Amino acid sequence: MKHESVGTVETHYYHFPSELHLDSGKLLKEVTLAYETYGNLNNEKSNAILVCHALTGDAHAAGWHQGDRKPGWWDSMIGPGKALDTDKYFVICSNILGGCKGSTGPSSVNPDSGKPYGLDFPVMTIGDIVRAQKDLVNHLGIGKLFAVIGGSMGGVQVLQWAVSYPGSVANAIAIATTARSSPQQIAFNEVARIAIVSDPEWKKGNYYFGNPPVHGLALARMIGHITYLSDDSMQEKFSRRLQNKQNYDFSMDMDFEVESYLHYQGQSFTRRFDANSYLYITKALDYFDISKNGSLKEGLKDVQTKFLVIAVSSDWLYPPYQSREIVAALSANGKEATYREIESNYGHDAFLLESGHLNYLISNFLSDVVVADIMKSEIVSIKKGLSIEETARVMYREGITHLPVVSEGNILAGIVTSWDISKAVALKYKSLDRIMTTDVITASPDESIESAAKKMEKHNISALPVIDGNMKILGIIGSDEINRLIGGYA
Amino acid sequence: MKHESVGTVETHYYHFPSELHLDSGKLLKEVTLAYETYGNLNNEKSNAILVCHALTGDAHAAGWHQGDRKPGWWDSMIGPGKALDTDKYFVICSNILGGCKGSTGPSSVNPDSGKPYGLDFPVMTIGDIVRAQKDLVNHLGIGKLFAVIGGSMGGVQVLQWAVSYPGSVANAIAIATTARSSPQQIAFNEVARIAIVSDPEWKKGNYYFGNPPVHGLALARMIGHITYLSDDSMQEKFSRRLQNKQNYDFSMDMDFEVESYLHYQGQSFTRRFDANSYLYITKALDYFDISKNGSLKEGLKDVQTKFLVIAVSSDWLYPPYQSREIVAALSANGKEATYREIESNYGHDAFLLESGHLNYLISNFLSDVVVADIMKSEIVSIKKGLSIEETARVMYREGITHLPVVSEGNILAGIVTSWDISKAVALKYKSLDRIMTTDVITASPDESIESAAKKMEKHNISALPVIDGNMKILGIIGSDEINRLIGGYA
């Protein structure tokens, strides 16, 4: 499979013809959204995918800007042959409302005053951010998006899309995210905001004609950065190595590599981000709660979108249970929702780094891989009618505790376990037929692997016999194989 | 069991007669340590327990200061009938070197200049902090401590004691701690320090005659506070409740209870703590690494102290694996070390809050509870010589998969499982004797429960038959019971 770049790209700007209505009741005039597109919109306008960026992202998700040394922030996922395959899909990414990378935000000029907004910028919500995106999507002539996808704060936008515009999104992929900001997430946002507003250069947000509050913004970023990594990944990356010294020098200066790294991350961030945007965007994130009357199920009841929800095992800022809550609420409403957890040490940052796992999961979700594509055809089974002794012998020889039982022509008749054998001895049963379970959970060859995986999870079993319409065993599909496949994508 | 207070107490001050040598090579003159004691030192001076406090603690661990509304910080653990039983033990707690609650630290007057030290205070290590404590213990006439105990940064002092003064500590109890500060711990300390030194009032540490850097110190404390709680406990404590409002007011002010709580915690902290002490103490913590040449085993090889290491399941700042590392390194050296993990949602703060669990674990460790004290006397077993069928029937009837086998006089002969039954059928064995395991792991009635628990953990089994010297079964001890007992302490 080829994995190519989308090549050189340019940012476009959409100037809204009319005012944007905000959840606060306020109106925002002369709104601009910066955006990029990759691939081509088909005649039916049915192949558009909207990518939503995280807290500090921008519209430049893929390809290269003229003269740049680095590609867009999700180049690993977007391009010919990648999960967001630009040979098939038309991919759109816009800088969010309130941002500072070409879209209208607190650093933009307020048309009423002729000066930058600063704290006169209205407080906005994730609903407002998505409403602005919807206007852009309308402007591009797209009535229904094939998919909306995003990680972290991009993921909350995905949820908001499915709730605000249920008829306008066919597929939704929410990664490393939550249905409502938790008190811990709010707490980390609040300390970051305090770091910014405590910087004397912040001047109540009116710093655009002086020095920006770089120390406060750098500290905010350093705090955030710790939460994006995991304890493990920091151990691997830094250990307790000292920076440019062999021994402690017993001064109050920095000693460790990890300190130096955080300082570097904080400082370089201040060159590309506006402090007031950080305040407004984290506030929108704090406000985010897709539940209704305290119920997540009720909040998601009108969703018409098929969901893939992906969490990262080591993500402690947006822990997996928060993704599982989303899937549980969708399922409780009878909606189609698949949960996948990536095994990764990278912590929250994995949504930007684990492109192998993500490409596999997302391309399967978007292209519907079925059981027959990955099932194993050789399986150990026993014939119906064997004695308890013969059955026990096969089980002992093969070292397995679960054995499918087949009749003539490989027709699935049941399944037997070592506990069944013990029971047979106790009750003096001689024949297999009296103890085997005949009500076997199975998969069909054209079933999606997501569906098969969900059955295994629900019934707490590790493999399913795959059968055709006549109950003939065609193969077996195991959770191990699915996990191996996911891990094996290069 | 009575649980009383030690009553009214007073802080004492020990003025060192000579200079204190520091790991940096510097000397510190005119050192004072503030300390309190509870209970009475016996004639043999063999009943002294040193309590080491955490980052922001002080010497006032138990009892009441005249007129105070709150008792000492670990009053739940220290007093008549409590784990640190003042009817039996002489308990000492001192404010650490570098602190600001009566012991010499950066806010103390530098005898050379007649002004507060500020940044002229020498950078110190956990080794220095413990060396000062050792001088105090010598001054009290105690050659060997019965125990040293502490949580968090108190726990690292416990480790340092066992390494620096191996002959001077009989028992060590280290709670929610680590053998070396991890890069994540260092990172959180560093952002807290940046918050302090970024406050314009900090003035390179020379703020003692003006306004102290309260904003920076409050922010440092807020960051720290988030790390002391768990995601779960914050959810329980705050949920997404708003503070003094029904709806978002779309301003940049605080909205949520969790924000208000953190602000309160930060502000009240500034009334009781010195910003420079925070800098110096976190630095000492960053430097802490008890390993030698990169090996924890080598670092702990000269320990002569019996260890109890306790971790908290939801502690993500000092995660349980860091406690297990300590126990693994001690065990690898053939030292006596027990690991216990408290199931608690409180996060790192559990070492101050879970007094029920801690009292049970610690009093058992200090007083040596044995298996006979808590074993169950009624057990299901079968007689030796039964047929496979009879054995299977008992197993099926009782619904259990593991069954002890006894001969005449309740002498333990072996153990049999449902897998053994299946194997017997396969190999056409008729008699129990051919399939049962005769090499059974057992406990003795006078064995410590720690030792029994460790056997179960090592062999991955959930219960042990308890036998006397003649292999007679006296009872059974299960990990469930031990855990229930731990949870059941009131």
Side-chain angles (χ1 to χ4, degrees):
Chain A
M1 198 192 273
K2 63 179 179 175
H3 291 91
E4 291 172 14
S5 166
V6 297
T8 306
V9 296
E10 276 181 11
T11 307
H12 308 285
Y13 299 88
Y14 172 54
H15 305 290
F16 285 36
S18 49
E19 294 165 328
L20 183 71
H21 290 256
L22 302 180
D23 284 342
S24 63
K26 294 198 176 161
L27 294 175
L28 201 54
K29 294 181 202 169
E30 300 183 16
V31 171
T32 295
L33 283 196
Y35 70 98
E36 297 192 1
T37 68
Y38 322 106
N40 299 302
L41 189 59
N42 61 15
N43 289 335
E44 300 79 24
K45 300 186 173 176
S46 64
N47 69 332
I49 296 180
L50 178 70
V51 172
C52 302
H53 69 69
L55 187 54
T56 64
D58 55 36
H60 181 39
W64 302 75
H65 283 176
Q66 201 80 51
D68 268 4
R69 289 165 54 196
K70 278 167 62 179
W73 59 269
W74 228 15
D75 194 71
S76 61
M77 300 296 297
I78 304 166
K82 299 175 190 173
L84 307 187
D85 189 340
T86 47
D87 287 344
K88 289 159 72 177
Y89 305 118
F90 176 64
V91 179
I92 310 160
C93 182
S94 69
N95 183 218
I96 60 169
L97 185 74
C100 52
K101 309 291 281 186
S103 293
T104 300
S107 60
S108 304
V109 171
N110 179 349
D112 288 340
S113 69
K115 291 186 299 184
Y117 278 104
L119 286 201
D120 290 332
F121 195 75
V123 168
M124 51 174 201
T125 66
I126 300 297
D128 296 329
I129 288 170
V130 164
R131 192 173 303 116
Q133 286 167 348
K134 180 72 164 80
D135 284 357
L136 170 65
V137 168
N138 289 345
H139 163 71
L140 295 172
I142 298 157
K144 182 168 190 166
L145 290 162
F146 177 66
V148 185
I149 180 171
S152 193
M153 207 186 85
V156 311
Q157 295 167 60
V158 170
L159 286 165
Q160 187 71 57
W161 261 94
V163 169
S164 293
Y165 308 105
S168 302
V169 193
N171 297 287
I173 303 171
I175 309 165
T177 196
T178 185
R180 46 194 160 198
S181 289
S182 71
Q184 191 186 61
Q185 289 156 353
I186 294 170
F188 277 116
N189 284 340
E190 175 66 1
V191 292
R193 285 190 294 262
I194 297 172
I196 291 169
V197 305
S198 298
D199 188 326
E201 301 288 5
W202 180 65
K203 297 178 178 128
K204 294 189 187 296
N206 291 316
Y207 52 78
Y208 293 107
F209 299 104
N211 296 319
V214 291
H215 293 295
L217 182 59
L219 177 53
R221 177 62 167 183
M222 292 169 78
I223 296 167
H225 209 90
I226 300 173
T227 67
Y228 305 151
L229 305 178
S230 75
D231 179 36
D232 263 9
S233 66
M234 293 182 87
Q235 193 65 52
E236 266 173 44
K237 203 177 174 99
F238 311 110
S239 176
R240 287 181 48 83
R241 278 191 306 277
L242 300 175
Q243 178 77 6
N244 300 330
K245 52 182 86 169
Q246 296 299 312
N247 295 297
Y248 305 147
D249 54 12
F250 297 100
S251 80
M252 286 304 284
D253 299 335
M254 279 191 285
D255 287 283
F256 296 93
E257 272 187 20
V258 62
E259 295 171 293
S260 160
Y261 171 85
L262 285 178
H263 278 267
Y264 174 80
Q265 290 292 332
Q267 274 156 25
S268 64
F269 180 65
T270 63
R271 287 192 290 274
R272 69 176 178 88
F273 213 80
D274 175 56
N276 285 333
S277 273
Y278 204 92
L279 299 180
Y280 277 86
I281 297 172
T282 54
K283 198 72 181 173
L285 195 50
D286 287 358
Y287 277 3
F288 182 71
D289 180 1
I290 210 78
S291 70
K292 210 169 165 181
N293 304 321
S295 158
L296 207 48
K297 184 182 171 192
E298 195 177 335
L300 294 171
K301 79 172 177 348
D302 295 328
V303 164
Q304 298 173 29
T305 304
K306 187 180 158 195
F307 261 89
L308 171 64
V309 180
I310 304 174
V312 178
S313 58
S314 59
D315 185 348
W316 59 273
L317 185 62
Y318 288 81
Y321 81 85
Q322 296 181 357
S323 287
R324 287 193 298 263
E325 271 179 5
I326 298 169
V327 175
L330 287 166
S331 301
N333 281 307
K335 314 295 180 189
E336 221 180 319
T338 301
Y339 173 71
R340 282 280 175 253
E341 190 170 316
I342 294 176
E343 277 297 327
S344 168
N345 276 344
Y346 282 124
H348 187 58
D349 258 358
F351 85 90
L352 294 169
L353 300 172
E354 292 288 8
S355 53
H357 286 36
L358 289 173
N359 268 298
Y360 174 80
L361 289 174
I362 293 165
S363 56
N364 279 347
F365 176 73
L366 294 176
S367 65
D368 276 331
V369 169
V370 294
V371 164
D373 295 336
I374 63 161
M375 72 180 183
K376 201 173 66 174
S377 307
E378 307 117 46
I379 53 165
V380 177
S381 66
I382 53 168
K383 292 287 172 202
K384 201 162 176 287
L386 287 195
S387 69
I388 298 290
E389 284 76 5
E390 285 165 319
T391 307
R393 223 172 292 136
V394 174
M395 214 176 259
Y396 181 66
R397 192 182 62 222
E398 302 283 342
I400 51 181
T401 55
H402 289 64
L403 207 49
V405 183
V406 296
S407 54
E408 271 319 305
N410 264 341
I411 304 299
L412 182 69
I415 206 148
V416 70
T417 71
S418 64
W419 170 253
D420 295 329
I421 301 281
S422 191
K423 179 177 164 187
V425 172
L427 302 178
K428 293 186 184 297
Y429 295 158
K430 291 291 166 202
S431 142
L432 191 56
D433 299 2
R434 293 195 61 179
I435 56 157
M436 74 179 178
T437 303
T438 51
D439 190 19
V440 186
I441 313 293
T442 59
S444 68
D446 55 356
E447 189 168 346
S448 74
I449 58 166
E450 276 74 22
S451 162
K454 210 179 292 179
K455 279 184 192 167
M456 287 185 247
E457 203 177 305
K458 184 178 170 193
H459 296 279
N460 195 23
I461 44 184
S462 57
L464 301 178
V466 182
I467 55 167
D468 65 14
N470 300 319
M471 294 286 287
K472 181 173 167 184
I473 294 200
L474 303 173
I476 196 151
I477 180 165
S479 56
D480 279 0
E481 293 164 272
I482 293 179
N483 291 336
R484 251 199 309 279
L485 264 167
I486 293 171
Y489 189 92
Chain B
M1 197 192 273
K2 61 178 180 175
H3 289 93
E4 293 172 11
S5 166
V6 297
T8 306
V9 296
E10 276 181 10
T11 306
H12 308 285
Y13 299 89
Y14 172 54
H15 305 290
F16 285 37
S18 50
E19 295 165 326
L20 183 71
H21 290 256
L22 302 180
D23 285 343
S24 63
K26 293 195 175 163
L27 294 176
L28 201 54
K29 294 182 201 167
E30 299 182 17
V31 172
T32 295
L33 282 197
Y35 70 99
E36 297 191 0
T37 68
Y38 323 107
N40 299 302
L41 189 60
N42 61 15
N43 289 336
E44 300 79 24
K45 301 187 172 177
S46 63
N47 69 334
I49 296 182
L50 178 70
V51 172
C52 302
H53 70 68
L55 187 54
T56 65
D58 55 36
H60 181 37
W64 303 74
H65 283 176
Q66 201 80 51
D68 267 4
R69 290 166 52 196
K70 278 167 62 180
W73 59 270
W74 227 15
D75 193 71
S76 62
M77 300 295 298
I78 304 166
K82 300 176 189 173
L84 307 187
D85 189 340
T86 46
D87 287 344
K88 290 160 73 178
Y89 306 119
F90 176 66
V91 179
I92 310 159
C93 182
S94 68
N95 183 217
I96 60 170
L97 184 74
C100 51
K101 310 290 280 184
S103 292
T104 299
S107 59
S108 305
V109 171
N110 179 348
D112 288 341
S113 68
K115 292 185 299 183
Y117 279 105
L119 286 200
D120 289 333
F121 195 76
V123 169
M124 52 174 201
T125 64
I126 300 296
D128 295 330
I129 288 169
V130 165
R131 193 174 304 116
Q133 287 167 347
K134 180 71 165 81
D135 283 357
L136 169 65
V137 168
N138 289 345
H139 162 70
L140 296 172
I142 298 157
K144 182 168 189 165
L145 291 162
F146 177 67
V148 185
I149 181 171
S152 192
M153 208 185 86
V156 312
Q157 294 165 60
V158 171
L159 286 165
Q160 187 71 56
W161 262 95
V163 168
S164 294
Y165 309 104
S168 302
V169 193
N171 297 287
I173 303 172
I175 309 166
T177 196
T178 184
R180 47 194 159 197
S181 290
S182 71
Q184 191 186 61
Q185 289 156 354
I186 294 170
F188 277 115
N189 285 340
E190 174 65 0
V191 291
R193 287 189 294 262
I194 296 171
I196 291 169
V197 306
S198 297
D199 188 326
E201 302 287 5
W202 180 65
K203 297 181 178 128
K204 294 190 188 298
N206 290 315
Y207 52 78
Y208 293 106
F209 299 105
N211 296 318
V214 291
H215 293 296
L217 182 58
L219 177 54
R221 178 61 168 184
M222 292 168 78
I223 296 167
H225 210 90
I226 302 173
T227 66
Y228 305 151
L229 305 178
S230 75
D231 179 34
D232 263 10
S233 66
M234 294 183 86
Q235 192 67 49
E236 267 172 46
K237 203 178 176 95
F238 311 109
S239 175
R240 287 179 49 82
R241 279 191 305 278
L242 300 176
Q243 177 77 5
N244 299 332
K245 53 181 86 169
Q246 296 299 314
N247 295 297
Y248 304 148
D249 55 10
F250 297 101
S251 80
M252 286 303 285
D253 298 336
M254 278 191 285
D255 287 282
F256 297 93
E257 272 187 19
V258 62
E259 295 171 294
S260 161
Y261 172 85
L262 286 177
H263 279 266
Y264 174 79
Q265 290 292 332
Q267 274 156 27
S268 63
F269 181 66
T270 63
R271 287 192 289 275
R272 69 174 179 88
F273 213 82
D274 175 56
N276 284 334
S277 273
Y278 205 94
L279 300 179
Y280 277 87
I281 297 171
T282 54
K283 198 72 182 174
L285 195 49
D286 287 358
Y287 278 3
F288 181 71
D289 180 1
I290 210 77
S291 71
K292 209 167 164 181
N293 304 321
S295 159
L296 207 49
K297 183 181 170 190
E298 195 176 334
L300 295 170
K301 79 172 177 347
D302 295 328
V303 165
Q304 297 172 30
T305 304
K306 187 180 157 195
F307 261 88
L308 171 63
V309 180
I310 303 174
V312 178
S313 58
S314 59
D315 185 349
W316 59 273
L317 184 63
Y318 287 82
Y321 81 85
Q322 296 179 358
S323 285
R324 288 194 297 265
E325 271 179 5
I326 297 168
V327 174
L330 287 166
S331 300
N333 281 308
K335 312 295 179 189
E336 221 180 319
T338 301
Y339 173 72
R340 281 281 177 252
E341 190 170 316
I342 295 177
E343 278 297 327
S344 167
N345 276 343
Y346 283 125
H348 187 58
D349 258 358
F351 86 90
L352 293 169
L353 301 172
E354 293 286 10
S355 53
H357 286 37
L358 289 172
N359 267 298
Y360 176 80
L361 290 174
I362 293 165
S363 57
N364 278 347
F365 176 73
L366 294 177
S367 65
D368 275 333
V369 169
V370 295
V371 164
D373 296 334
I374 64 163
M375 73 180 181
K376 200 172 65 176
S377 305
E378 309 116 47
I379 52 165
V380 178
S381 64
I382 52 168
K383 293 285 173 202
K384 200 161 177 288
L386 288 195
S387 70
I388 298 292
E389 283 80 0
E390 287 165 316
T391 306
R393 223 171 293 136
V394 175
M395 215 175 257
Y396 180 64
R397 192 182 62 224
E398 302 284 341
I400 51 180
T401 54
H402 288 65
L403 208 49
V405 183
V406 296
S407 53
E408 273 317 306
N410 264 339
I411 304 300
L412 182 70
I415 205 149
V416 70
T417 70
S418 66
W419 170 252
D420 295 329
I421 302 280
S422 192
K423 180 177 163 187
V425 173
L427 301 178
K428 293 182 184 295
Y429 295 159
K430 291 290 166 201
S431 143
L432 192 57
D433 300 3
R434 293 194 63 178
I435 56 157
M436 73 179 180
T437 304
T438 51
D439 191 17
V440 186
I441 313 294
T442 59
S444 69
D446 57 354
E447 189 168 346
S448 73
I449 59 166
E450 277 73 24
S451 162
K454 209 180 293 179
K455 278 183 191 167
M456 288 185 244
E457 201 179 308
K458 184 179 169 193
H459 296 281
N460 195 25
I461 45 185
S462 57
L464 301 178
V466 182
I467 56 168
D468 65 12
N470 299 318
M471 293 288 284
K472 181 174 168 185
I473 294 200
L474 304 173
I476 196 152
I477 181 166
S479 55
D480 279 359
E481 292 164 271
I482 294 179
N483 290 336
R484 250 199 309 279
L485 263 168
I486 292 171
Y489 189 93

